[in-house]
Amino acid sequence: EPEVTQTPSHQVTQMGQEVILRCVPISNHLYFYWYRQILGQKVEFLVSFYNNEISEKSEIFDDQFSVERPDGSNFTLKIRSTKLEDSAMYFCASSEAGAYTIYFGEGSWLTVV
Amino acid sequence: AQSVTQLGSHVSVSEGALVLLRCNYSSSVPPYLFWYVQYPNQGLQLLLKYTSAATLVKGINGFEAEFKKSETSFHLTKPSAHMSDAAEYFCAVSERNAGNMLTFGGGTRLMVKP
């Protein structure tokens, strides 16, 4: 069964450092997403991406964050200057065009120290 | 704006007992509703979804959920719990004009006692 894959599964980084989280969405999907879950809190929407541009973003997704589809298979989330409060599980997800079912990866656990 | 409330952050049942996980939603337009399950150290797996067809939806692993518009609810049930059902369960809502943006509830951790 096709699945969304994410790397790394865990990353520890120093505060102020840049982090790139990588995702390979399901191959025939056209919508891509990032969500995050801070420990003990709800899963929160960050951003959606379609046709090489951001289609929706939440208030959380400020100038510190950026997304990119650098090639035909990868989808990345960059956090420019990490803060302690960026520590969370980051989920990549994808969906087909015109479909409302979103499929999630296993997550990348980011710890900022 | 859409929102989801899951009553009970922790639910404990005995193996073989009925599982009932509650979810109430708020949406200004007809919603799409989802249940996802997260097993320990794994990602979010789609359990089932309601997208305006039958109000009683069957999912994987014997789970089902019923959309009740009058009660704004989408409770998840399973007649007989199994030890392998122990996991965290998330209810989520998507408004049909919101570009597939999911709003999640706080999650319910299901524990199954032998």
Side-chain angles (χ1 to χ4, degrees):
Chain A
E1 183 179 328
E3 59 182 21
V4 177
T5 57
Q6 291 185 239
T7 54
S9 56
H10 295 87
Q11 183 161 353
V12 180
T13 190
Q14 297 270 348
M15 191 168 55
Q17 294 296 304
E18 176 182 285
V19 162
I20 297 176
L21 304 179
R22 291 181 168 79
C23 169
V24 178
I26 295 173
S27 62
N28 63 331
H29 287 187
L30 299 178
Y31 284 86
F32 314 120
Y33 313 85
W34 285 100
Y35 286 75
R36 79 171 185 190
Q37 184 181 27
I38 294 171
L39 190 63
Q41 298 187 24
K42 292 184 179 184
V43 178
E44 302 171 292
F45 169 79
L46 291 179
V47 66
S48 61
F49 190 87
Y50 171 72
N51 198 26
N52 282 321
E53 61 183 23
I54 291 173
S55 51
E56 300 270 355
K57 62 180 181 179
S58 70
E59 291 176 354
I60 303 167
F61 194 87
D62 60 21
D63 292 343
Q64 177 196 10
F65 294 92
S66 62
V67 289
E68 191 179 28
R69 187 156 166 81
D71 54 42
S73 61
N74 289 285
F75 179 53
T76 62
L77 174 69
K78 182 189 291 185
I79 309 174
R80 251 178 281 283
S81 177
T82 50
K83 298 178 279 193
L84 294 176
E85 54 265 37
D86 295 327
S87 295
M89 177 74 88
Y90 288 82
F91 291 105
C92 178
S94 67
S95 66
E96 294 180 73
Y100 284 85
T101 304
I102 297 176
Y103 296 89
F104 287 82
E106 295 203 349
S108 293
W109 184 250
L110 175 65
T111 301
V112 182
V113 297
Chain B
Q2 56 200 30
S3 67
V4 177
T5 302
Q6 291 184 240
L7 290 175
S9 58
H10 292 80
V11 170
S12 181
V13 301
S14 297
E15 192 173 20
L18 171 71
V19 175
L20 170 61
L21 305 182
R22 298 178 187 274
C23 171
N24 287 89
Y25 70 91
S26 170
S27 175
S28 56
V29 299
Y32 290 133
L33 293 158
F34 305 83
W35 277 98
Y36 285 87
V37 59
Q38 185 178 32
Y39 296 103
N41 301 315
Q42 295 188 28
L44 296 167
Q45 181 182 0
L46 180 68
L47 202 53
L48 50 77
K49 62 183 177 183
Y50 166 77
T51 57
S52 82
T55 56
L56 181 62
V57 180
K58 294 188 186 299
I60 60 172
N61 302 336
F63 284 93
E64 61 182 38
E66 186 172 9
F67 171 66
K68 291 188 176 180
K69 183 179 177 181
S70 60
E71 298 177 9
T72 60
S73 70
F74 190 57
H75 301 328
L76 182 70
T77 60
K78 181 173 180 178
S80 176
H82 191 273
M83 297 295 291
S84 61
D85 294 326
E88 184 133 25
Y89 292 80
F90 294 93
C91 183
V93 64
S94 170
E95 292 187 345
R96 299 179 188 193
N97 58 353
N100 287 10
M101 187 181 80
L102 287 174
T103 298
F104 283 84
T108 298
R109 184 166 297 279
L110 175 66
M111 294 167 284
V112 182
K113 298 175 291 187

